[in-house]
Amino acid sequence: MGKLIKPTRILRHSTKKTRLDLRRLGDVLRDYAWEKLNAGPWREVGKAWRQVYAYGCLFGALAEVAACRPLAPAVRLCDMGLLMGASVLDNALARLVRLLQARLPRGKRRAAAGGSAKRARVEPPPAPVVQPEEALPHVRCPSLEHFRDNYLIPQKPVVLEGIIDHWPCMKKWSVDYICQVAGCRTVPVELGSRYTDEEWSQKLMTVNDFINQYIVNENSVGYLAQHQLFDQIPELKEDISIPDYCCLGEGEEDDITINAWFGPEGTISPLHQDPQQNFLAQVFGRKYVCLYSPQDSENLYPHEGQILHNTSQVDVEDPDLNKFPNFRKAACQCCILMPGQVLFIPVKYWHYIRSLDTSFSVSFWWS
């Protein structure tokens, strides 16, 4: 951190021309690299261009600080570099943004439109009824051997209880806490109740704006769903840990993808399947989850196009059986995933998820 403070102090005592030159250099690098980042599929973007963009964000952020301007634009530049760039100078952007964030006031939720905060429900909203014959099994703190032999090897979904009770997030996290820790940070947000809707889109905004627009005021449905959040905001990553059961996989710990899923009641993940094993850990709020075996794939009518080939055309809670008659043949397993519970979703297992409350989930994709 001291390595970052020193050049910042030097810049503050530099000439106005030097600071303007640094700002212009940052603008030029970002503008030129941005064209390269958006010229084709993301997987084809070379790491060097992402590093150029990161340097542009770093120079721009330092110029903002050196000019003694408000820190929020510098924080946004750091976040853009972390989201779109690649690590440079021993991850200087991550170290700089932590330094800057410590000097910003903690975020707070605004009151809902109309002058008063949304009143909390006295009674929770009704949840779908899970029939006994469809209910997923629940197991409390199974040994590694028991989980491996009874669920991982035979590829059977199960709800695990008691395995994340020790996570600090289980006592600390709430909407207000997320606002305090990450409110000023810029993140990508999915807009729309589900990604298959025509009006679905993505937008960059601060966590504060996301909470105030889509959770407090309920203007529409938005969802913070991304795999970079915990790398971008280490304070949150420190409150969780990778489940021990992931050690039964074939990959290394660095190969495990950790995702954040934060959104209001009513957000939906359409029926789809993923190419890796999945642990879905519920921190707060509840989710209704339906699962179908890969053996039922033909009965689930996947989209024919390449982009949505892993997504079903069927609306699980309101199926059009005239259009999709074989859906009635598919065997469903369901659960209401409660705070502190972890759902094991085997690779290629179809799953549909609807948030019953404002909720935060953490998923671990592993091989």
Side-chain angles (χ1 to χ4, degrees):
M1 188 174 292
K3 293 179 181 179
L4 289 171
I5 295 174
K6 187 174 180 180
T8 301
R9 287 176 177 167
I10 293 173
L11 284 168
R12 281 179 176 166
H13 294 289
S14 63
T15 65
K16 181 178 181 181
K17 182 180 183 301
T18 302
R19 294 195 294 269
L20 287 174
D21 287 345
L22 182 65
R23 180 186 300 278
R24 291 192 189 100
L25 177 59
D27 291 343
V28 169
L29 291 177
R30 291 197 307 277
D31 289 345
Y32 190 54
W34 187 258
E35 293 182 11
K36 302 296 182 180
L37 297 182
N38 292 277
W42 179 253
R43 64 179 177 274
E44 296 178 7
V45 176
K47 183 180 179 180
W49 285 116
R50 295 175 58 207
Q51 289 177 320
V52 170
Y53 185 77
Y55 274 114
C57 292
L58 178 61
F59 294 157
L62 288 174
E64 291 286 337
V65 176
C68 297
R69 297 173 182 270
L71 295 180
V75 170
R76 177 179 172 81
L77 281 168
C78 290
D79 282 327
M80 291 299 297
L82 291 170
L83 289 168
M84 303 295 292
S87 178
V88 295
L89 300 179
D90 194 23
N91 209 8
L93 281 170
R95 291 183 289 124
L96 176 59
V97 77
R98 293 194 74 170
L99 179 67
L100 298 178
Q101 187 176 350
R103 286 159 173 74
L104 286 172
R106 290 274 178 164
K108 293 182 179 179
R109 280 197 290 171
R110 289 198 298 263
S116 60
K118 188 178 77 171
R119 300 177 66 181
R121 291 186 178 93
V122 177
E123 295 292 335
V129 176
V130 176
Q131 301 298 329
E133 63 273 14
E134 297 180 341
L136 283 162
H138 289 233
V139 179
R140 185 168 186 82
C141 298
S143 66
L144 291 175
E145 293 77 13
H146 182 86
F147 174 78
R148 180 196 63 202
D149 295 342
N150 292 277
Y151 303 104
L152 180 58
I153 292 176
Q155 290 288 275
K156 293 182 178 180
V158 63
V159 176
L160 304 176
E161 298 182 343
I163 69 170
I164 64 171
D165 292 349
H166 63 287
W167 284 7
C169 66
M170 297 308 301
K171 294 182 179 179
K172 294 166 60 177
W173 287 11
S174 65
V175 174
D176 285 331
Y177 181 78
I178 301 300
C179 205
Q180 291 172 15
V181 173
C184 65
R185 307 299 298 274
T186 297
V187 295
V189 172
E190 298 181 5
L191 305 181
S193 61
R194 64 187 82 193
Y195 64 77
T196 51
D197 291 346
E198 289 186 5
E199 66 272 17
W200 181 89
S201 63
Q202 291 181 305
K203 181 180 180 180
L204 289 171
M205 63 174 61
T206 65
V207 173
N208 271 339
D209 287 342
F210 165 70
I211 289 173
N212 289 320
Q213 292 181 36
Y214 298 99
I215 292 183
V216 176
N217 289 323
E218 296 183 328
N219 289 343
S220 59
V221 179
Y223 210 47
L224 196 166
Q226 59 140 324
H227 68 273
Q228 291 177 289
L229 185 70
F230 295 113
D231 293 330
Q232 193 179 350
I233 307 172
E235 296 93 330
L236 294 177
K237 192 173 185 179
E238 292 167 0
D239 289 339
I240 63 173
S241 57
I242 295 174
D244 292 340
Y245 305 99
C246 291
C247 74
L248 299 170
E250 298 176 352
E252 301 294 330
E253 183 172 312
D254 290 342
D255 298 327
I256 298 171
T257 301
I258 307 176
N259 304 282
W261 310 91
F262 177 36
E265 171 190 344
T267 48
I268 290 172
S269 291
L271 187 61
H272 68 285
Q273 57 179 187
D274 297 316
Q276 291 182 292
Q277 318 278 10
N278 184 4
F279 283 122
L280 180 63
Q282 194 66 15
V283 179
F284 61 78
R286 302 166 301 154
K287 286 186 170 175
Y288 175 55
V289 186
C290 296
L291 294 99
Y292 297 84
S293 167
Q295 297 176 357
D296 267 322
S297 293
E298 291 186 1
N299 297 324
L300 302 180
Y301 299 89
H303 283 271
E304 296 180 0
Q306 181 62 28
I307 295 178
L308 292 176
H309 69 280
N310 70 328
T311 303
S312 170
Q313 301 177 62
V314 181
D315 183 341
V316 169
E317 295 193 80
D318 187 23
D320 184 343
L321 296 179
N322 291 323
K323 188 175 181 181
F324 309 113
N326 290 338
F327 179 68
R328 58 169 57 92
K329 300 178 182 178
C332 177
Q333 290 181 283
C334 305
C335 73
I336 305 295
L337 196 64
M338 305 294 290
Q341 295 180 341
V342 178
L343 173 61
F344 170 57
I345 305 175
V347 59
K348 293 290 187 178
Y349 239 83
W350 294 86
H351 47 289
Y352 165 91
I353 303 173
R354 175 165 63 91
S355 296
L356 301 177
D357 315 290
T358 294
S359 69
F360 200 119
S361 309
V362 182
S363 65
F364 301 85
W365 291 345
W366 55 290
S367 298

